[in-house]
Amino acid sequence: IKRLLQESEARFRALVTLSSDWFWEQDAEFRFIEVDNHLLVNSRLAYATILGTRRWDQPGLNLSEAQWDQHRAVLQQHQEFRDFEVQRSNNDGSSYWISISGTPIFNAMGQFCGYRGIGKDISKRKQVEEELRIAAIAFESQEGVLVTNEQFEILRSNRAFSRMTGYSAKEVLGQTLDILKSGRHEEAFFDTIRHQLHTIGDWKGEVWNRCKNGDVCLYYMTTTGVIHVDGRLRHYVTTLVDITQKEAAAKEIEHLAFYDALTQLPNRRLLMDRMQQAFAACLRNGRQGALLCLDLDHSKNLNDALGHDMGDVLLQQVAQRLKCCVREDDTVARFGGDEFLVLLEDLGTHAGDAAEQTQQMGEKILSALNQPYQLGSHTAHSTPSIGAVLFNNQTHNLDELVKYADLAMYAAKAEGRNTIRFFDPMMQAAVSARIALENDLRRALAEQQFQLYYQVQMKNGNTAIGAEALIRWHHPERGMVSPLQFIGLAEETGLILPMGLWVLQTACEQLRRWQQNPRTADLQLAVNVSARQFRQPNFTEQVCAVLQQTGARPDRLKLELTESMALDNVEDTIAKMTALRKLGLGFSLDDFGTGQSSLSYLTRLPLDQLKIDQSFVRNIGIQHTDALIVQTLIGMAHSLGINVIAEGVETEAQQAFLQQHGCTLCQGYLFSRPVPLDEFERLL
Ligand code: C2E
Ligand code: MG
Ligand code: MG
């Protein structure tokens, strides 16, 4: 038996020696009584330090208390256990994994006397498992992926990363993430990232990285700490998405919002923004600035002559020249159409100097824009009118400043164009007066300050055929205000709409009253219609409604249009005129001869009457050419088969001339000024 036992022991020893596993044995108190040499080699522990200890007393075993409790419960119940996995750290920082299996030992009496079992080193398997785990997280992705250790040394990279950066996996292996640094971020930026990784465990954000070929691209980067099974952070997985394209698209959108598509110059929005900044700077440093507003003279003619495409090319060339004129910090903007603005900053603290510099800049621009333009095969000439306004730390209102520059520009135009004018206090006064007038105008309707005057229209100098209704404004403080002063303003503000309707209503009510008296039943009333009023989509319906409400006869009502408004949208004009004429209304073309419109268009309008403008009538007998024009206008009306009336007839001679050349209808001071209703009726 002894020999058999010895042989068995020898076989067992041989097995254990050949195997990498080791043998161990514990007593009933779970103290080691026997350990195989392998363990000692692995753990670098001395035999003596293990014997007599319990497993959980040993140093370096990374297991939580809960896990040990579980293990002890198994032992206490004398159960067999398999593949109990423990990680052991060595003093030098290295570590290894062991897997232990054990089975309880009982003596012949069935008494428990300890455990016996084997242990094995499973570090290799663990490492493979862990790598698989990382790989599973990392490489599922289409994004560029890097796996690094805690020191940010690259352990792995995927193909998407190589595609993006140009670095092969081999090239980056062992390198730190610094290899990607573009130099566009300060070191503090990376410090923050590292700090966040240490505290929160992940970081996301945009980073400029440098590719292998030197290109710098913007990446959306996420870095996530990978927590090891032992609860410690061992690796980082970094993903990279190239958003350079996205950034470019965003830039493009921004460009569209702030730049003019045709000239690439800043647009109104951006200029306003820069002005805001300029104001702020002005407040800080006290240095003055200037705003120039410029507009190309007669650009409409050029557009008509060369076509819009060439007009666009001209604008581009103007933009180019303007940019060359100004300093780098100045802003040239296009406000639309042929209007440009130039913002000059830092013109010194002295107003005189600032004005001087602005004047010089204006002249420089004038001379640059006066050079001929090569537009395709054409050589074209264009000139600008420039308005200038200075600003300083007292200036607050952006819109007002633009308005002033604009006003000065109009002054430049009025003074013969191709010149520069400064905004001055006189203009300012005019602006203020205008604003006051506008406010008053808003109240005028509600407070019934308007009144209609009537100016008689005569046939053959002896028969009153009707009148023109002319609006009057009795201003509570200013007294009578001429329509010439407020019709334009009313147009701009839209107040012309209720005002025009009031005129129409009042005129029709009057017609209705005249209709009831045989002496006045045939009288016609001419009513002036403004462009904005006529352009309302429901203008026709409005007139119909007024006629219906008042009961006025449509054939007694005549609407006066002006050339420019009638020709603004010929098709619309014709449609409206035709519809209203079907009801019996008549149309007269006011101020005839003053427009520069093409006659062929005019002949298309279904007119009843041409009204020769008073500027020609005034010069009959004074300026031969004007008399000729009057003759021509009369001839034109006749050849078109429509009647003709002259306005502004003040003298017998004028009337005689008109009568002699076939214009039998007249209106003017010779017969009567425009007068209030009762006076007009007395006059009849
Ligand atoms: P218009 O329609 O050409 O009216 C003729 C203007 O010439 C009137 O000026 C009239 O008073 C003036 N006038 C008439 N005869 C003579 C004359 O012999 N000599 C001189 N020097 N002037 C004469 P008013 O009333 O100041 O109106 C000016 C303009 O205001 C009108 O020109 C018309 O365009 C506009 N307007 C007047 N009333 C209305 C209205 O109710 N609605 C609209 N939309 N415009 C109106
Ligand atoms: Mg008129
Ligand atoms: Mg007129």
Side-chain angles (χ1 to χ4, degrees):
I1 280 177
K2 197 173 175 195
R3 198 178 50 86
L4 277 176
L5 271 174
Q6 274 169 347
E7 271 175 23
S8 165
E9 165 99 16
R11 262 203 306 273
F12 172 73
R13 286 284 160 210
L15 251 174
V16 168
T17 319
L18 289 173
S19 149
S20 60
D21 299 353
W22 61 85
F23 170 80
W24 56 268
E25 196 172 331
Q26 294 169 342
D27 64 13
E29 304 298 322
F30 313 118
R31 285 184 294 248
F32 283 107
I33 48 177
E34 162 88 81
V35 203
D36 190 79
N37 197 38
H38 285 340
L39 173 66
L40 304 176
V41 171
N42 256 323
S43 63
R44 287 165 228 169
L45 291 170
Y47 194 65
T49 59
I50 294 188
L51 283 191
T53 65
R54 293 182 178 88
R55 184 165 280 124
W56 45 88
D57 295 330
Q58 288 172 40
L61 290 181
N62 302 322
L63 218 58
S64 69
E65 241 357 90
Q67 284 169 309
W68 279 130
D69 284 345
Q70 216 175 352
H71 180 62
R72 280 192 286 262
V74 171
L75 297 184
Q76 253 123 37
Q77 286 165 32
H78 309 154
Q79 286 172 14
E80 186 179 292
F81 62 91
R82 278 174 194 279
D83 300 325
F84 177 58
E85 294 182 355
V86 191
Q87 192 192 24
R88 164 168 249 150
S89 308
N90 293 328
N91 287 336
D92 61 2
S94 66
S95 69
Y96 63 96
W97 279 89
I98 54 178
S99 168
I100 307 153
S101 301
T103 179
I105 325 167
F106 299 96
N107 63 13
M109 333 271 291
Q111 255 176 341
F112 172 73
C113 34
Y115 266 92
R116 196 179 280 148
I118 53 163
K120 56 184 167 195
D121 187 336
I122 54 162
S123 299
K124 274 227 175 63
R125 196 194 88 211
K126 278 286 173 189
Q127 194 190 341
V128 172
E129 269 178 19
E130 189 177 316
E131 284 189 4
L132 278 175
R133 221 170 73 84
I134 294 167
I137 297 170
F139 290 85
E140 264 166 18
S141 164
Q142 289 304 303
E143 302 162 357
V145 180
L146 291 175
V147 181
T148 66
N149 61 15
E150 283 165 292
Q151 282 76 46
F152 300 102
E153 286 163 358
I154 299 172
L155 304 176
R156 262 162 197 241
S157 61
N158 72 350
R159 269 191 295 252
F161 171 81
S162 299
R163 198 172 352 99
M164 280 177 186
T165 61
Y167 287 113
S168 71
K170 241 192 183 148
E171 283 171 308
V172 288
L173 186 72
Q175 302 270 9
T176 68
L177 286 180
D178 288 355
I179 190 175
L180 297 174
K181 276 189 181 167
S182 65
R184 290 207 188 175
H185 301 283
E186 313 236 325
E187 203 42 45
F189 175 76
F190 297 107
D191 287 343
T192 335
I193 297 182
R194 274 190 290 268
H195 179 73
Q196 185 170 331
L197 285 176
H198 286 144
T199 50
I200 302 174
D202 63 10
W203 184 86
K204 301 180 182 52
E206 294 180 3
V207 183
W208 289 99
N209 284 336
R210 186 179 300 279
C211 299
K212 191 180 174 187
N213 66 4
D215 285 354
V216 172
C217 299
L218 187 66
Y219 291 91
Y220 185 73
M221 181 171 123
T222 67
T223 295
T224 315
V226 181
I227 311 287
H228 208 264
V229 271
D230 61 7
R232 274 181 57 194
L233 199 154
R234 290 288 169 82
H235 297 93
Y236 290 107
V237 175
T238 295
T239 65
L240 296 166
V241 181
D242 187 341
I243 56 167
T244 318
Q245 295 298 318
K246 220 169 91 191
E247 154 104 352
K251 279 241 169 69
E252 169 81 16
I253 288 168
E254 188 194 278
H255 193 84
L256 284 176
F258 291 106
Y259 291 85
D260 169 49
L262 179 66
T263 60
Q264 306 305 320
L265 290 178
N267 62 12
R268 174 186 288 265
R269 248 172 92 183
L270 185 53
L271 181 82
M272 289 311 219
D273 204 61
R274 299 245 170 108
M275 272 170 67
Q276 200 78 62
Q277 287 169 22
F279 279 16
C282 199
L283 265 182
R284 280 195 309 271
N285 59 28
R287 280 199 278 277
Q288 315 216 343
L291 186 68
L292 302 183
C293 171
L294 64 106
D295 177 280
L296 303 182
D297 300 330
H298 304 301
S299 65
K300 191 176 175 304
N301 295 357
L302 210 104
N303 253 337
D304 290 347
L306 295 176
H308 276 277
D309 290 350
M310 281 302 143
D312 284 354
V313 176
L314 173 72
L315 291 174
Q316 286 168 337
Q317 293 187 11
V318 167
Q320 209 51 49
R321 291 185 191 183
L322 283 173
K323 273 205 300 213
C324 291
C325 285
V326 302
R327 297 167 307 180
E328 196 161 333
D329 290 341
D330 297 330
T331 304
V332 178
R334 179 172 174 234
F335 256 35
D338 56 351
E339 194 175 334
F340 295 88
L341 276 109
V342 180
L343 175 67
L344 306 176
E345 293 182 65
D346 275 346
L347 299 179
T349 49
H350 190 262
D353 292 347
E356 178 68 20
Q357 287 183 60
T358 307
Q359 176 76 30
Q360 278 168 12
M361 178 58 81
E363 278 162 17
K364 190 170 167 194
I365 290 174
L366 274 178
S367 102
L369 298 196
N370 265 278
Q371 303 303 314
Y373 295 84
Q374 196 60 44
L375 307 177
S377 54
H378 297 273
T379 307
H381 291 270
S382 174
T383 57
S385 292
I386 308 177
V389 60
L390 299 176
F391 62 87
N392 54 31
N393 49 15
Q394 304 295 305
T395 318
H396 304 295
N397 193 325
L398 283 180
D399 292 315
E400 236 158 58
L401 200 71
V402 174
K403 215 166 23 185
Y404 293 163
D406 211 45
L407 273 169
M409 188 268 290
Y410 279 108
K413 279 215 190 294
E415 280 169 56
R417 304 169 197 269
N418 199 16
T419 181
I420 171 169
R421 279 290 164 274
F422 277 80
F423 178 79
D424 68 35
M426 290 278 283
M427 286 184 207
Q428 177 125 37
V431 175
S432 311
R434 219 175 129 82
I435 291 169
L437 196 67
E438 186 183 324
N439 290 335
D440 292 348
L441 199 56
R442 290 187 189 280
R443 279 205 309 271
L445 254 188
E447 298 183 4
Q448 297 186 320
Q449 294 168 359
F450 292 123
Q451 189 186 353
L452 273 196
Y453 272 36
Y454 300 83
Q455 184 176 35
V456 71
Q457 296 186 329
M458 304 292 289
K459 189 177 172 82
N460 298 323
N462 51 28
T463 320
I465 57 151
E468 176 176 8
L470 293 157
I471 195 168
R472 292 293 175 264
W473 181 13
H474 295 281
H475 191 282
E477 290 127 39
R478 298 171 199 229
M480 196 75 94
V481 182
S482 160
L484 294 173
Q485 278 179 42
F486 66 85
I487 295 288
L489 190 60
E491 276 252 325
E492 273 174 40
T493 53
L495 285 168
I496 194 73
L497 300 180
M499 186 192 295
L501 193 60
W502 176 84
V503 171
L504 196 63
Q505 255 157 357
T506 314
C508 286
E509 276 157 19
Q510 192 51 51
L511 274 175
R512 165 79 189 164
R513 260 176 252 124
W514 282 343
Q515 273 160 216
Q516 283 152 343
N517 182 342
R519 273 185 51 237
T520 52
D522 289 332
L523 290 177
Q524 283 200 332
L525 253 185
V527 169
N528 294 285
V529 175
S530 91
R532 189 139 171 198
Q533 201 184 348
F534 188 67
R535 287 287 158 240
Q536 294 175 96
N538 67 345
F539 178 71
T540 313
E541 289 78 14
Q542 260 183 32
V543 177
C544 288
V546 171
L547 286 168
Q548 246 167 19
Q549 284 158 21
T550 56
R553 274 181 59 173
D555 61 340
R556 295 292 182 264
L557 183 63
K558 194 159 61 181
L559 298 184
E560 290 195 6
L561 309 180
T562 60
E563 260 173 71
S564 54
M565 68 175 274
L567 296 179
D568 180 33
N569 180 347
V570 187
E571 302 312 324
D572 179 59
T573 307
I574 292 175
K576 282 177 176 154
M577 286 175 78
T578 311
L580 288 169
R581 279 182 97 229
K582 277 204 185 112
L583 301 175
L585 251 83
F587 282 93
S588 181
L589 196 66
D590 205 352
D591 305 338
F592 185 52
T594 54
Q596 286 125 24
S597 8
S598 99
L599 287 174
S600 65
Y601 271 126
L602 273 187
T603 56
R604 290 182 57 197
L605 302 178
L607 287 164
D608 300 273
Q609 188 177 66
L610 297 182
K611 195 171 192 181
I612 301 173
D613 190 66
Q614 46 184 294
S615 57
F616 304 110
V617 175
R618 194 178 304 135
N619 286 336
I620 292 174
I622 300 170
Q623 202 164 343
H624 181 58
T625 46
D626 279 354
L628 268 180
I629 289 175
V630 170
Q631 267 176 271
T632 313
L633 296 178
I634 297 171
M636 253 178 66
H638 286 159
S639 63
L640 288 174
I642 57 185
N643 73 47
V644 59
I645 187 169
E647 70 177 0
V649 180
E650 294 184 356
T651 65
E652 302 274 359
Q654 289 164 351
Q655 201 240 323
F657 178 91
L658 289 159
Q659 185 82 25
Q660 189 194 333
H661 290 94
C663 175
T664 54
L665 303 176
C666 288
Q667 174 186 347
Y669 294 172
L670 175 63
F671 309 103
S672 164
R673 293 181 171 257
V675 289
L677 181 69
D678 49 350
E679 209 173 312
F680 176 75
E681 288 183 336
R682 237 177 300 146
L683 199 105
L684 283 178

